[in-house]
Amino acid sequence: MDTFAYLARRTLQALIVVLLVTVVVFGLLHALPGGPARGILGPQASAQQIADFNHEQGLDRPLPVQYLRYLNTLLHGDLGTSYTLNESVSSLIGQRLPKTLVLSLLSALVGLLLAIPLGMWQAVRRNRPADYVITALSFVAYSTPVYFLGLVLVLVFTQWLPWFPSQAPQGDTLGQVFAQPNALVLPVVAGAATMVAVFSRYMRAATLENLSEDYVRTARAGGSRPTAILFRHVFRNSLTSVIAMLGYYVPVLFGGAIVVEQLFNFPGMGLLFWSAAQSSDYPVLLGCVLVISVATVIGTLLADVVQRLVDPRVKAGETA
């Protein structure tokens, strides 16, 4: 019953945050220089053209009425129309978002599969030369800009060692993307590098904290093997902090995807956002911002739910 009440409260909080996100995006749309009409019609539009556009789109109505209308269109899946591509923003995002999700999920999966055992290994060998070396490499990876790392990967693995293509998979469908797995390697590595650096540090700290707990000393005194203690008890308890941070890492993944997709010419939402920014295509920009914000809210909600399931000791107020 407590778990159900917790889930209901977190879901309600997520819905409130999503509603606030729509308010912010609506405000950004109306904060454009000259308003939405000027942004869409361009700087050469006359005052009469702007007035006609505002009347046609209902932008001359009171702001509360406009917001309710905007909210209604969102509920119907309408994010507006791109005035440079002359296509609905929902359609554009629908075509690009699955590819970005694939790239982000693969990067996250590779990052976690490397970071979690690496962090535990460092904790077990705390203050040894290997720990110092990996810590130094983690700080270097964390401080290296994604675009610079991507350029290094391209230079090394497409020029000096021609193992992989310099471009990510090109195609309109996920089937076409997966048909070129070797072309996914460099974008995934570029997206996963920072995640390995960050989450290995979290896992190391969490493992060290759990290794100093009383239950570990009790298990050792009872004759349990160190590997059994590490994997049966410490591993699971250490995962809770990593899971909690994973939800908050969603916007970082999407932010990195913008750079990675532009660098490797991957036809995902990040490249769409980059192109829209260059052409001042505000409906596409705000549509992408809205989707990324909602994805962040959903990611944090799922992380809290999984954390609650993994560790029932987590109280509702501790992860809010």
Side-chain angles (χ1 to χ4, degrees):
M1 188 64 183
D2 290 340
T3 301
F4 178 78
Y6 168 73
L7 295 178
R9 183 160 64 177
R10 288 296 293 118
T11 302
L12 179 61
Q13 290 174 348
L15 290 175
I16 293 174
V17 172
V18 169
L19 189 64
L20 292 175
V21 167
T22 64
V23 173
V24 171
V25 173
F26 176 80
L28 290 174
L29 181 63
H30 286 75
L32 296 174
R38 178 66 68 184
I40 293 174
L41 297 179
Q44 305 301 323
S46 65
Q48 185 59 45
Q49 288 175 319
I50 291 177
D52 292 341
F53 180 87
N54 286 335
H55 181 72
E56 180 183 347
Q57 300 295 324
L59 297 175
D60 53 355
R61 299 179 181 180
L63 285 179
V65 175
Q66 292 185 49
Y67 174 71
L68 291 177
R69 182 182 178 185
Y70 171 72
L71 201 59
N72 181 61
T73 59
L74 289 182
L75 292 175
H76 287 83
D78 184 5
L79 297 176
T81 302
S82 168
Y83 56 85
T84 58
L85 300 175
N86 196 27
E87 191 174 348
S88 72
V89 176
S90 301
S91 176
L92 290 170
I93 292 178
Q95 295 169 8
R96 306 294 188 95
L97 182 58
K99 302 170 192 175
T100 296
L101 288 176
V102 166
L103 178 62
S104 299
L105 289 175
L106 286 176
S107 298
L109 182 62
V110 171
L112 290 176
L113 288 177
L114 293 175
I116 290 175
L118 186 62
M120 292 184 65
W121 188 78
Q122 282 187 264
V124 173
R125 291 163 176 76
R126 180 186 182 186
N127 295 333
R128 295 182 183 179
D131 181 31
Y132 291 132
V133 171
I134 295 176
T135 296
L137 292 176
S138 297
F139 285 137
V140 170
Y142 180 74
S143 59
T144 302
V146 177
Y147 70 86
F148 180 76
L149 176 61
L151 290 174
V152 172
L153 291 174
V154 170
L155 180 63
V156 173
F157 293 105
T158 67
Q159 302 297 320
W160 296 348
L161 301 173
W163 294 349
F164 305 105
S166 59
Q167 278 200 132
Q170 303 297 304
D172 296 328
T173 65
L174 291 180
Q176 293 173 330
V177 171
F178 285 118
Q180 308 171 58
N182 61 326
L184 274 172
V185 173
L186 295 185
V188 169
V189 170
T194 303
M195 193 168 189
V196 173
V198 172
F199 281 86
S200 64
R201 301 302 298 168
Y202 279 117
M203 194 64 187
R204 178 184 182 275
T207 303
L208 287 174
E209 181 180 355
N210 280 279
L211 285 174
S212 64
E213 294 288 341
D214 292 337
Y215 74 86
V216 172
R217 287 192 288 268
T218 302
R220 286 172 177 168
S224 297
R225 292 179 300 170
T227 54
I229 296 173
L230 186 65
F231 290 103
R232 290 181 184 177
H233 305 290
V234 174
F235 172 68
R236 178 175 177 177
N237 292 331
S238 300
L239 275 182
T240 56
S241 60
V242 174
I243 292 172
M245 286 304 303
L246 188 58
Y248 297 100
Y249 203 77
V250 172
V252 180
L253 281 174
F254 275 101
I258 294 175
V259 179
V260 171
E261 290 181 12
Q262 193 275 335
L263 183 62
F264 292 97
N265 195 33
F266 185 72
M269 202 171 74
L271 187 59
L272 175 67
F273 185 90
W274 180 275
S275 301
Q278 291 182 315
S279 61
S280 300
D281 196 342
Y282 297 112
V284 174
L285 287 174
L286 295 178
C288 291
V289 168
L290 181 63
V291 170
I292 293 173
S293 301
V294 172
T296 302
V297 173
I298 295 175
T300 55
L301 175 62
L302 292 177
D304 287 346
V305 170
V306 173
Q307 186 183 19
R308 177 82 175 192
L309 295 176
V310 171
D311 188 358
R313 298 171 300 173
V314 176
K315 300 256 187 320
E318 294 176 351
T319 55

